Amino acid sequence: MQPTTKQHSQTVKAQLTEFSIRRPDDWHLHLRDGAALDHVVGATAKQFHRAIVMPNLKPPVTTTDMAVAYRDRILTAVKKSNAGSFEPLMVLYLTGATTPAEIEKAAKSGVVKAVKLYPAGATTNSEAGVSDLLGQCSDALEAMQKHDLPLLVHGEVTDSDVDVFDREAVFIDRVMKPLRARFPGLRVVFEHITTKQAAEFVRDEVTRDSSGRLLLGATLTPQHLLYNRNSLFNGGLQPHWYCLPILKREEHRVALLEAAVSGLPQFFLGTDSAPHAKHLKEMACGCAGCYSAPYAMEMYAEAFELAGALDTPEKLELFASLNGPAFYGLAPNEGRITLRRQSQTIPANLPFLTDSGIVPFRAGEELAWSMVDSD
Ligand code: DOR
Ligand code: ZN
C-alpha cells in the first residue's frame, strides 16, 4: 500500500454516509481495441454514461471514417459486456497530414467531438503525432476554430534537454500560449494536468466565446489528485504508478486538488484510465498508464473527502457530471449514481487478454466508498 500524504492523515470532517449525483462522464479515456476493448469497456460503462475516447490506437484514428468504425466496435463491445447504456464520444488523432476538409467532415459527423494533439514521442503510440504544432497544423487548427471542434492537448514538450518533471510547465510557454494567441477562438482542453503551473494557467485564463462557453478547460485524473512522485519509488520501483505526464511533487498535487474541488467550470473529470497487461507494466521499459476505470468514482470521492469538499456532494457533481457537458455543449446526463461509505478491496488482478491479466490502479488497497447504484 502506498504511504499517506499529509492530507490523507487529516481528520475527516464529513460524515456523509451515502450520496447520489447525476451520472458522471469520463472526459479522457483509453479503451483500446479488439479483445482488450472487450475486457475494459464494461468497467467504464458501469461508472460513466459517456466518455471521450482517445484515438492512440495502432494505427491511430486519423479520419472520420475510422472514428465511426471504432465507435461501432465500442458499441458492439458494450452490448457484449451487458453493462448498460454507454455513449462513446470520438476523437481524431491530429497529424501533420490532417486536412481542413477532414476537420470539416469530422465536425459535421456528429460522432467526432474533438481532435487530439500528441506531441511526437510524448507517450504511448504518439509516433505519428506532431513535432511542430503551429508549423505543421495551422490549416487544421484554423478549420477546428471555424467549425468549433475542440483541441485536446497532451501538454508536454518532448525535447530531451528538458527535465521530464518540467515538460508540462515548459509546454505552457513554448506551445500553449503561442497556440492561444494565434487561435483565440479555438476551444482547448489541457488534458490530465499535473502541475501547479497548469492549474493556475487554466484557472486564470478565462475566455469565453460569443455564446458564453469557455474556451479553455482541463481534465484531472484520480492519480494526480491523490499521489505525488514519491509513490513511484515507495520501497522500490512502482510501475503501476507510472503514467504520463508523470506524477509530480506534493505542492503540485495540492494545487490540482484545490482546482478539482473549486467548483470552477473549467475543471472536469478525465480518468486517463490506460490499460496495459500486467507483464507489459512489470518489465524493463514498462508501459505508461494507470488502469483506474473500475473504481474511478470511488477514488474521486476519496480525493474530494480528503480535501474536505465532501460535506455535501455538490462540488463533486460539478466536477464529475456538470462542468464537462457544459464545456462540450452537451446536456448533463439524466441518470444518477449512488455512492455509499462501504469499504471494498481492489482486486490484485483482473482478466485481460493473456494469463498475466491486468493490475488495476491501487490493487489490493481498501477503498472507503462503493458505488451501489447507477441508472
Ligand atoms: O500514461 C499514459 N498512458 N499517458 C498517455 O498519454 C497515454 C496512455 C496510454 O495510451 O497508455
Ligand atoms: Zn491519455
Side-chain angles (χ1 to χ4, degrees):
M1 190 180 289
Q2 289 281 356
T4 56
T5 63
K6 265 186 223 154
Q7 281 192 304
H8 281 71
S9 61
Q10 277 177 1
T11 313
V12 173
K13 279 182 283 169
Q15 287 309 311
L16 206 60
T17 54
E18 186 172 305
F19 65 90
S20 85
I21 57 172
R22 263 183 201 262
R23 194 150 175 225
D25 303 298
D26 184 349
W27 299 99
H28 184 124
L29 173 70
H30 298 268
L31 282 177
R32 313 303 189 205
D33 208 348
L37 166 63
D38 286 339
H39 275 121
V40 301
V41 76
T44 288
K46 275 188 196 138
Q47 296 241 329
F48 300 102
H49 180 57
R50 296 171 288 201
I52 281 276
V53 181
M54 288 298 124
N56 62 334
L57 304 181
K58 270 184 172 170
V61 181
T62 50
T63 66
T64 308
D65 292 348
M66 290 172 89
V68 169
Y70 183 29
R71 180 174 179 272
D72 288 345
R73 297 197 295 280
I74 294 169
L75 289 173
T76 303
V78 172
K79 232 180 231 164
K80 272 198 263 176
S81 80
N82 279 327
S85 67
F86 176 69
E87 196 183 332
L89 308 174
M90 308 312 292
V91 178
L92 287 197
Y93 186 115
L94 183 68
T95 75
T98 307
T99 62
E102 189 63 53
I103 295 295
E104 185 173 356
K105 184 174 172 181
K108 291 184 173 160
S109 70
V111 165
V112 176
K113 299 295 182 196
V115 179
K116 176 74 189 267
L117 164 66
Y118 283 106
T123 188
T124 310
N125 298 345
S126 63
E127 303 77 23
V130 170
S131 46
D132 173 10
L133 179 64
L134 293 180
Q136 284 178 280
C137 302
S138 285
D139 292 349
L141 294 167
E142 188 79 54
M144 288 164 60
Q145 180 172 259
K146 180 172 167 198
H147 297 289
D148 194 27
L149 203 54
L151 180 70
L152 313 184
V153 171
H154 182 112
E156 289 190 290
V157 296
T158 53
D159 314 49
S160 56
D161 61 323
V162 179
D163 189 282
V164 70
F165 292 96
D166 297 333
R167 288 181 178 184
E168 184 174 283
V170 172
F171 182 92
I172 297 172
D173 287 326
R174 287 198 193 165
V175 184
M176 189 62 103
K177 286 181 182 170
L179 168 72
R180 299 206 74 236
R182 179 100 170 261
F183 299 101
L186 176 68
R187 291 146 53 64
V188 175
V189 182
F190 203 155
E191 297 286 347
H192 43 51
I193 58 170
T194 65
T195 57
K196 190 177 174 172
Q197 290 90 333
E200 289 176 354
F201 180 76
V202 175
R203 183 194 65 199
D204 297 341
E205 279 273 311
V206 183
T207 48
R208 294 178 186 272
D209 65 16
S210 53
S211 49
R213 278 198 287 151
L214 283 172
L215 288 160
L216 178 66
T219 56
L220 290 143
T221 78
Q223 64 267 28
H224 293 100
L225 297 183
L226 287 165
Y227 297 96
N228 63 41
R229 67 189 193 178
N230 287 351
S231 300
L232 287 160
F233 312 107
N234 172 33
L237 209 51
Q238 299 288 341
H240 300 290
W241 268 258
Y242 172 54
C243 65
L244 289 170
I246 200 156
L247 294 172
K248 305 294 193 300
R249 285 178 183 276
E250 176 65 4
E251 64 175 307
H252 297 290
R253 186 193 69 82
V254 169
L256 298 170
L257 190 53
E258 201 178 295
V261 306
S262 67
L264 289 171
Q266 54 269 57
F267 297 109
F268 39 92
L269 184 158
T271 62
D272 199 14
S273 176
H276 293 278
K278 178 177 193 274
H279 67 280
L280 296 176
K281 293 281 295 172
E282 298 177 4
M283 70 183 296
C285 204
C287 298
C290 301
Y291 180 48
S292 59
Y295 302 95
M297 282 309 299
E298 287 89 338
M299 291 189 207
Y300 282 113
E302 176 182 326
F304 272 61
E305 182 153 49
L306 290 166
L310 203 60
D311 293 356
T312 62
E314 279 81 20
K315 291 278 168 65
L316 181 59
E317 186 172 54
L318 281 168
F319 175 75
S321 317
L322 299 175
N323 292 347
F327 184 90
Y328 279 90
L330 299 168
N333 296 319
E334 287 300 330
R336 298 185 75 76
I337 60 162
T338 303
L339 277 96
R340 185 177 297 156
R341 192 183 297 282
Q342 175 181 298
S343 70
Q344 59 172 331
T345 304
I346 301 179
N349 204 303
L350 293 168
F352 187 71
L353 301 177
T354 65
D355 287 348
S356 91
I358 189 166
V359 178
F361 185 53
R362 301 177 63 189
E365 287 194 27
E366 191 170 304
L367 292 169
W369 292 95
S370 296
M371 189 185 290
V372 292
D373 198 17
S374 161
D375 57 37

